[in-house]
Amino acid sequence: DRGGDGDAGLATKTRTRTKRPPMYKVMLLNDDYTPMEFVVHILERFFGMTHAQAFEIMLTVHKKGLAVVGVYSFEVAETKVGQVMDFARRHQHPLQCTMEKE
Ligand code: TYC
């Protein structure tokens, strides 16, 4: 049986907690140098947004300083952050992308 009776055979119930995995917000940060169109391109390419959605989120980051661009499992969030940081670095833009537990 399951339960802490030292296997005297008494059926004591132990509750099994099913925890949802934690989710992670992926955020883009504003800066003064990365071109707006480059940010729009990133949002289309790595976050599956339409051009209109991407433009809107880019403007939010530009005006507010940052925005959440998606919420994912740890592994997916880590991959997205890596893809954005690599792509920005390859194009010599200072764009920053970070993740944070929800
Ligand atoms: N502020 C940038 C500009 O004026 C545009 C920008 C938007 C940069 C979003 C980064 O995450 C960003 N060219």
Side-chain angles (χ1 to χ4, degrees):
D1 74 301
R2 59 198 181 88
D5 64 2
D7 264 301
L10 306 172
T12 56
K13 262 187 210 158
T14 302
R15 194 144 77 138
T16 304
R17 279 237 171 242
T18 52
K19 247 177 39 208
R20 277 184 301 285
M23 297 294 274
Y24 291 79
K25 298 180 285 190
V26 171
M27 290 161 306
L28 273 190
L29 309 190
N30 189 37
D31 66 71
D32 292 339
Y33 304 104
T34 304
M36 289 186 171
E37 277 309 323
F38 184 82
V39 177
V40 170
H41 180 72
I42 283 210
L43 292 171
E44 293 172 326
R45 180 171 176 144
F46 299 119
F47 297 91
M49 296 184 193
T50 65
H51 191 77
Q53 285 172 330
F55 198 87
E56 193 177 303
I57 298 289
M58 180 282 296
L59 273 189
T60 301
V61 178
H62 178 68
K63 286 191 253 182
K64 308 241 176 184
L66 88 178
V68 175
V69 298
V71 179
Y72 307 97
S73 68
F74 182 85
E75 281 199 340
V76 173
E78 212 180 30
T79 300
K80 303 271 183 204
V81 169
Q83 287 172 328
V84 172
M85 295 301 284
D86 280 358
F87 195 69
R89 182 154 22 80
R90 286 210 308 277
H91 290 83
Q92 300 188 302
H93 294 310
L95 181 66
Q96 295 293 306
C97 182
T98 62
M99 61 192 273
E100 183 183 291
K101 201 171 180 172
E102 230 183 5

